[in-house]
Amino acid sequence: MSRKAPTTAFASAGKFDILAVEGDDYEEEEEQVVEEAPSQSTLEPATLSKAAKKRARQAAKLAESAVKTVTTEAQGAAKEVEKVVSNGGANGTSEASPIAKAAAPVVQAAAPVVEAVASALPSSSSGPSAKKASVPSSNGVASSSKPAAPTPAKVEEKLPVPHSPPQSSFKPQLPDNLPEPSSTALSANRKRKTPQDFTPAGPRDTPSASSPSKISVKFEDGVSPGEGADGEKTIPVTKAAVQAVVPRKNQNMVERTVWTFIMIGGFVSLLCLGHPYVILLVLVCQALVYKEVTALFDLRDEGSKKIADSEDPWSKTLNWYFFVVTNYFLYGESIIYYFKHIVFVDAYFIPFAMNHRFISFMLYVVGFVSFVANLQRQYLRRQFALFCWVHISLLLIVVSSHFIVNNILEGLIWFFIPASLVICNDVMAYVCGKMFGKTPLIKLSPKKTMEGFVGAFLCTLIFGWAWSTFFMRFPYMICPARDLGTNVLSNVVCRPNPVFVWREYQITGPVRQILQTVLGRSAPSISWAPFQIHALVMATFASLVAPFGGFFASGFKRAFNIKDFGHSIPGHGGMTDRMDCQFMMGMFSYVYYASLIRIQYVDVGTLMQTIVTSLSTSEQLELLADMRRFLEGQGIKA
C-alpha cells in the first residue's frame, strides 16, 4: 500500500517558528539586553549607529533560526524520499515512482529558499550559518551548498529590516507655545459638566447652565462646575435642596414687582412735574444705556489682551466726549426749533442759535483729531474697533433719544401713550405666556411663546383705545411745550391738534333703518376722535414690531454670553433691558406724528426766527415802527 509524503509541512512549520522566535525576541528585549561580540559582517560597518547594529544582529539571529528549521525539514523530506525510492526498487514495484515525482517539485522549490537565506547570513566561525546546508536534489540525492558572502546592497534587497518596537526613551519634538499641563489633579468630588445640564451659548459655544438638573451640580458657594477651588462639596439632590430654590425665586419675583411699581410711580411723578423733568429722565436713561453698551466692548473677545488705562488713557474720555457733542447737537436742534420765541429774543443765545451746526461740527472735528493723535501702533485694531463701536452706539441710542425728546416737546401724550403701550404689551405677554404659553416664538428668547405674543397684541389694542380716550381730554397732555415752567397744576391753554377734536359719526343706509326698527327711535350717532384710530395703529406697532427690539437685545446678550446688560435696576437688570423696545417705539411715534399728524402753524417763534435771521437792523426797526402804527390804528397801545 502506497503512502504520500507531506509536501507543505516544512513550510508551515518554519513560518510559525520564525514568528515565535520574533515574538519571543521582542518580549525579552525590554527586560534584558544581551551583550554580543560584534561580528565581522558587512551588515555592521563602522559607520552604522548602535540602533542599526542592534537591528542587524536581530535579523541575523532570526535568519539563522529560519535556515536551521528549513534545513532540518528539507533533510527529513529528502531522507523520506530516499527511503520510499529504495523500498520501491527492492520490491520491484512501480509504486515509488508517483511518490518520488510528487516530492521532487517540493524539494526543488525549497532549494533556492535555503540558498537565499543562507547567503544572507553573515560569515562567522561558529553557529549554524557556518555549517553546510544539505539540500536534496530533484532526483532525490542530497547536495550541499556553501553560503556566499553577500554584499550590503544584496542584503538590503533580500532581507528587509524587521519592525523595531517603540523605544522607551523616545521624546517627540513639541512646539514651545503648547499649554503646560496642570499640576493639580481634579478633586474626586468635583462634578463635571454634562450635555444635559449645559447648552452652548455665546461666542465659541461657551457652555452655560440651562436645564432644571443644574441644581445637582452646584457647589456650596453657588458657583458652577469647573469654577472655584478644589475640595468643595456639592449640594445633594434632596427635597430640601429643591425647596431652597423656591423661596429664592419668590424673593426675586417680589423684588421685581416692587421695583416695577417704584418705576411706574417715579415715571408718573416726573410726568406731573413738567416737560423739563421728563426730558431729564430720558437723558439719564440714555446715559446709562450708553454706559452699559460701551462697557460690553471689553467682552467682545475674551481671548484678547485688554489694554490698561495707563497705556491708553484717552479712550474712555473720547467715548464720553463724542456722547456729549452728539447730545449738544441734537438737543440744541430741538431747543432752537421749539423755543424760537425765547432763543431769538435773548442777545446771548442768538449767536449760538445762528451758528449751532457749525459749532457742533467743529466740536466733533476736535474729537476726531484727538482720536487720530492718540492712535498707538500696537493697539490700532482695537482702537479703530472701539471708534466704530462708539459711533454705532450713538446712532442707536442718542439719536433714538432725540426723537423721544421731540415727542415730549410736541405734547406729553405723544411720549406717554407710546411708552405705556410698550409697558402694557410687555406685562401682558408675560401674563398670557404664563397662563396659555406652549408654542415657542423665537429661538433668541426661548421663554417667549406664540400664545403670549397674540394675547398681548389683543390686550394692547384694548388698552390703547381706552388709555388714549381718557388722556386726550387734558390740555396739559396734548398741548406742545411753550413754557418750561408748566406742570400738571398749571392752566395750559392751546389750540388743539384736529386729531384730538371729537366728531360725530352718523349711521346711514340700511343699517340706520334696521336700528330704527329695532330701537323704535332714530339711530344714535357715535362719538369718536381720530386720535383713537392713531392710538390703535401705535398699539399694533407696539405689539408686533417693537418686541423685536427686545429680541435684538436678547441676541446681543447671547452674543456676549451675559444674562443682563447691567444691574442698574434691582430685579430687572440694566437700563438697556427696560429701554430696548422703547427706543424703537419712540422713533416710530415721532416719524408717524411728523409725517401724518403734525400741522405747521405760523407762530411768534417762527416769525422771530425769520426776522432775526433774514432782516437787517434797519429793516427790523422799520418793521417795528410799522407794527406800532398798525396797533395804534387798531386802538391798541404798544
Side-chain angles (χ1 to χ4, degrees):
M1 188 174 181
S2 63
R3 178 167 57 91
K4 293 184 179 180
T7 58
T8 59
F10 75 95
S12 60
K15 177 181 179 180
F16 286 105
D17 288 344
I18 292 173
L19 294 177
V21 171
E22 183 179 3
D24 295 340
D25 205 18
Y26 285 167
E27 292 176 357
E28 295 176 0
E29 181 183 8
E30 295 295 334
E31 299 177 1
Q32 183 179 3
V33 179
V34 180
E35 295 292 340
E36 296 182 0
S39 60
Q40 303 297 327
S41 173
T42 56
L43 287 174
E44 296 181 8
T47 57
L48 293 179
S49 62
K50 293 182 179 180
K53 293 179 180 179
K54 186 175 181 180
R55 289 195 295 268
R57 288 196 295 269
Q58 292 174 356
K61 190 183 297 184
L62 293 176
E64 290 175 358
S65 300
V67 170
K68 183 177 179 181
T69 303
V70 174
T71 303
T72 304
E73 295 292 337
Q75 290 175 354
K79 291 180 180 179
E80 189 172 353
V81 172
E82 290 178 357
K83 184 177 179 181
V84 173
V85 173
S86 61
N87 292 336
N91 295 334
T93 63
S94 61
E95 293 179 346
S97 179
I99 297 175
K101 291 180 180 181
V106 178
V107 176
Q108 186 176 2
V113 176
V114 175
E115 292 179 359
V117 175
S119 62
L121 293 178
S123 58
S124 179
S125 58
S126 61
S129 61
K131 299 180 181 179
K132 295 181 180 180
S134 177
V135 182
S137 62
S138 59
N139 57 1
V141 180
S143 62
S144 61
S145 62
K146 184 178 181 179
T151 61
K154 192 174 183 181
V155 173
E156 292 178 359
E157 284 183 1
K158 298 186 178 181
L159 186 61
V161 179
H163 175 70
S164 177
Q167 302 294 329
S168 59
S169 61
F170 173 72
K171 294 183 179 180
Q173 296 292 334
L174 299 178
D176 297 334
N177 56 354
L178 288 179
E180 295 293 334
S182 177
S183 58
T184 57
L186 190 65
S187 178
N189 64 343
R190 176 66 62 88
K191 291 286 185 179
R192 298 181 181 273
K193 298 179 181 181
T194 54
Q196 64 270 18
D197 292 331
F198 295 85
T199 55
R204 297 175 297 279
D205 292 337
T206 306
S208 61
S210 61
S211 69
S213 60
K214 64 184 178 182
I215 301 175
S216 62
V217 293
K218 285 287 185 179
F219 297 116
E220 288 180 342
D221 56 358
V223 298
S224 301
E227 302 176 355
D230 290 338
E232 294 172 328
K233 296 180 180 179
T234 58
I235 298 177
V237 185
T238 60
K239 185 176 181 180
V242 177
Q243 291 177 351
V245 182
V246 178
R248 191 182 307 167
K249 291 184 177 180
N250 294 337
Q251 182 180 359
N252 294 338
M253 182 62 64
V254 171
E255 183 181 29
R256 185 183 181 94
T257 304
V258 170
W259 276 93
T260 299
F261 284 104
I262 291 175
M263 288 190 297
I264 293 175
F267 175 70
V268 175
S269 300
L270 293 176
L271 194 69
C272 295
L273 291 176
H275 300 79
Y277 296 92
V278 181
I279 294 174
L280 181 62
L281 173 64
V282 175
L283 181 61
V284 171
C285 290
Q286 75 165 0
L288 291 175
V289 173
Y290 181 78
K291 177 183 177 182
E292 293 171 355
V293 172
T294 53
L296 293 178
F297 179 78
D298 290 334
L299 300 178
R300 77 197 191 284
D301 188 359
E302 298 174 0
S304 61
K305 180 182 178 181
K306 295 183 180 180
I307 304 175
D309 294 338
S310 59
E311 299 177 355
D312 188 15
W314 295 106
S315 291
K316 292 184 179 180
T317 304
L318 288 175
N319 296 347
W320 288 103
Y321 176 82
F322 284 120
F323 176 79
V324 172
V325 170
T326 306
N327 278 279
Y328 172 79
F329 169 69
L330 296 176
Y331 279 72
E333 288 283 319
S334 299
I335 292 174
I336 293 172
Y337 179 82
Y338 289 101
F339 299 99
K340 303 183 186 72
H341 59 287
I342 298 176
V343 173
F344 288 96
V345 172
D346 197 322
Y348 295 100
F349 291 154
I350 290 177
F352 292 98
M354 295 181 64
N355 304 292
H356 172 71
R357 294 183 179 179
F358 178 77
I359 295 173
S360 301
F361 176 75
M362 293 308 299
L363 289 174
Y364 178 82
V365 169
V366 171
F368 178 79
V369 172
S370 301
F371 166 77
V372 176
N374 191 47
L375 290 175
Q376 301 181 32
R377 185 179 183 88
Q378 63 273 29
Y379 303 132
L380 285 178
R381 187 170 184 178
R382 181 187 185 279
Q383 289 178 317
F384 277 105
L386 179 60
F387 185 79
C388 298
W389 188 282
V390 167
H391 280 69
I392 293 176
S393 301
L394 293 174
L395 176 64
L396 296 178
I397 298 172
V398 180
V399 175
S400 302
S401 301
H402 165 67
F403 291 136
I404 295 176
V405 171
N406 288 348
N407 292 337
I408 296 172
L409 297 176
E410 289 287 351
L412 289 174
I413 196 169
W414 298 107
F415 164 73
F416 179 68
I417 294 297
S420 301
L421 293 174
V422 171
I423 295 173
C424 172
N425 182 262
D426 192 13
V427 173
M428 297 312 299
Y430 176 79
V431 173
C432 296
K434 284 292 184 181
M435 295 177 61
F436 312 107
K438 294 181 180 180
T439 308
L441 177 62
I442 189 170
K443 293 182 179 180
L444 289 175
S445 297
K447 294 183 180 180
K448 304 291 184 181
T449 60
M450 183 65 69
E451 292 79 4
F453 187 77
V454 175
F457 170 63
L458 299 177
C459 294
T460 306
L461 287 178
I462 299 173
F463 174 82
W465 181 84
W467 207 242
S468 61
T469 303
F470 176 76
F471 280 99
M472 65 177 289
R473 301 175 183 269
F474 302 99
Y476 175 73
M477 298 295 295
I478 65 176
C479 289
R482 291 294 178 264
D483 185 3
L484 296 178
T486 59
N487 54 47
V488 70
L489 301 178
S490 302
N491 185 20
V492 181
V493 178
C494 67
R495 181 170 56 178
N497 192 294
V499 297
F500 300 110
V501 178
W502 288 92
R503 304 178 185 183
E504 299 292 332
Y505 176 74
Q506 298 292 337
I507 302 176
T508 58
V511 179
R512 181 182 179 87
Q513 297 177 359
I514 294 174
L515 290 177
Q516 289 178 351
T517 303
V518 174
L519 298 177
R521 57 185 179 87
S522 60
S525 60
I526 300 176
S527 299
W528 69 286
F531 182 69
Q532 293 175 319
I533 307 300
H534 296 306
L536 293 178
V537 175
M538 290 188 289
T540 302
F541 185 89
S543 301
L544 302 182
V545 182
F548 283 86
F551 300 153
F552 174 82
S554 298
F556 209 78
K557 289 186 288 186
R558 285 185 175 274
F560 291 91
N561 195 26
I562 57 177
K563 182 180 179 181
D564 297 313
F565 282 94
H567 306 283
S568 305
I569 309 174
H572 290 265
M575 184 61 68
T576 312
D577 297 286
R578 297 278 67 86
M579 295 293 294
D580 46 9
C581 301
Q582 295 288 358
F583 285 136
M584 180 170 287
M585 189 67 199
M587 292 178 64
F588 170 78
S589 301
Y590 176 78
V591 173
Y592 184 80
Y593 170 80
S595 303
L596 304 176
I597 301 174
R598 176 191 286 170
I599 295 178
Q600 299 291 346
Y601 294 110
V602 178
D603 52 8
V604 176
T606 304
L607 292 177
M608 284 298 301
Q609 182 181 9
T610 304
I611 293 171
V612 172
T613 58
S614 303
L615 300 180
S616 62
T617 305
S618 59
E619 291 173 341
Q620 293 173 2
L621 293 174
E622 182 181 355
L623 176 63
L624 178 60
D626 293 341
M627 287 298 299
R628 184 174 296 176
R629 287 195 300 270
F630 171 77
L631 293 175
E632 290 176 354
Q634 297 294 325
I636 302 174
K637 294 183 179 181

